[in-house]
Amino acid sequence: MASIAEVSIKLSAIDELSPKLQQIGKEFQVFDKIGSTLQNVGVQMAAVGAAIGGPLIAAVRTFADFEQAMQNVATVAGATTEEFQQLTDAAQRVGETTKFSASEAADGLYSLASAGYSAQEQIAALDGVAALAAATNASLASSSETLVSTLSQFGKEAGEAGRVADIFAAAIANSQATLPKLADSMRY
């Protein structure tokens, strides 16, 4: 058995070490709090990265889609570099001034190019196509097909697309006709 002196020495050592051990414990709690804080900061940074990254990726994808659509237009139309820039400017203008995006305008231009319209004819017809599409809640591509076939059928120039679009919009607004029904009726 241990003597009273040995027990007394051990208790004294424990008494001396207890405050130091408690201090060390408090310091570890501080490190634990710092670790939790850093973990929270990491989670918040990941959330911020996702919030910024998602829209940025979408914007880059939208730009790339537009550029590809315009390249398709230029290829089908056989556009020069200068004409390509004019077509791009026209699509962007429609994207800025109407409810349609520049990519949707590019789809309309593609339909016009597929119908054999030159770059200048496409640009001249685009506002009429956009007006008809907006008035009838149709796509620019389908509106351009309808206008092109009507203009061609009646021997009209591309610059008259706006006037024809106004006539179509008035006919639809004042009847139970829809753009597809009106387009079908123009075939006969």
Side-chain angles (χ1 to χ4, degrees):
M1 239 197 208
S3 70
I4 294 181
E6 288 177 347
V7 171
S8 177
I9 293 173
K10 288 180 182 177
L11 287 175
S12 290
I14 290 174
D15 286 343
E16 282 183 40
L17 288 176
S18 285
K20 291 179 183 178
L21 290 174
Q22 288 176 350
Q23 182 63 31
I24 291 171
K26 287 179 185 177
E27 289 176 9
F28 278 117
Q29 287 176 348
V30 169
F31 285 126
D32 188 42
K33 288 180 184 177
I34 290 172
S36 294
T37 301
L38 289 176
Q39 185 178 11
N40 289 338
V41 167
V43 168
Q44 290 172 356
M45 291 300 287
V48 167
I52 291 172
L56 182 62
I57 290 169
V60 169
R61 185 174 296 128
T62 299
F63 178 75
D65 290 346
F66 173 70
E67 285 296 313
Q68 183 59 55
M70 289 309 302
Q71 287 295 330
N72 295 344
V73 170
T75 300
V76 171
T80 65
T81 303
E82 182 180 323
E83 290 171 331
F84 173 76
Q85 187 57 53
Q86 292 170 349
L87 288 164
T88 300
D89 292 345
Q92 288 173 337
R93 181 183 43 76
V94 167
E96 292 169 358
T97 59
T98 69
K99 73 176 197 166
F100 300 104
S101 70
S103 292
E104 290 172 312
D107 292 341
L109 288 170
Y110 183 82
S111 292
L112 293 169
S114 296
Y117 276 34
S118 70
Q120 295 310 314
E121 289 171 323
Q122 291 173 60
I123 293 167
L126 188 57
D127 286 335
V129 169
L132 180 61
T136 60
N137 203 24
S139 72
L140 285 168
S142 67
S143 296
S144 68
E145 291 168 7
T146 300
L147 279 177
V148 164
S149 64
T150 302
L151 291 170
S152 175
Q153 181 177 356
F154 290 100
K156 301 294 179 187
E157 298 292 321
E160 294 187 71
R163 188 171 75 83
V164 173
D166 290 343
I167 293 168
F168 275 16
I172 291 167
N174 295 312
S175 69
Q176 291 185 345
T178 62
L179 184 59
K181 287 179 184 177
L182 194 56
D184 284 343
S185 71
M186 297 308 288
R187 292 186 182 141
Y188 300 105

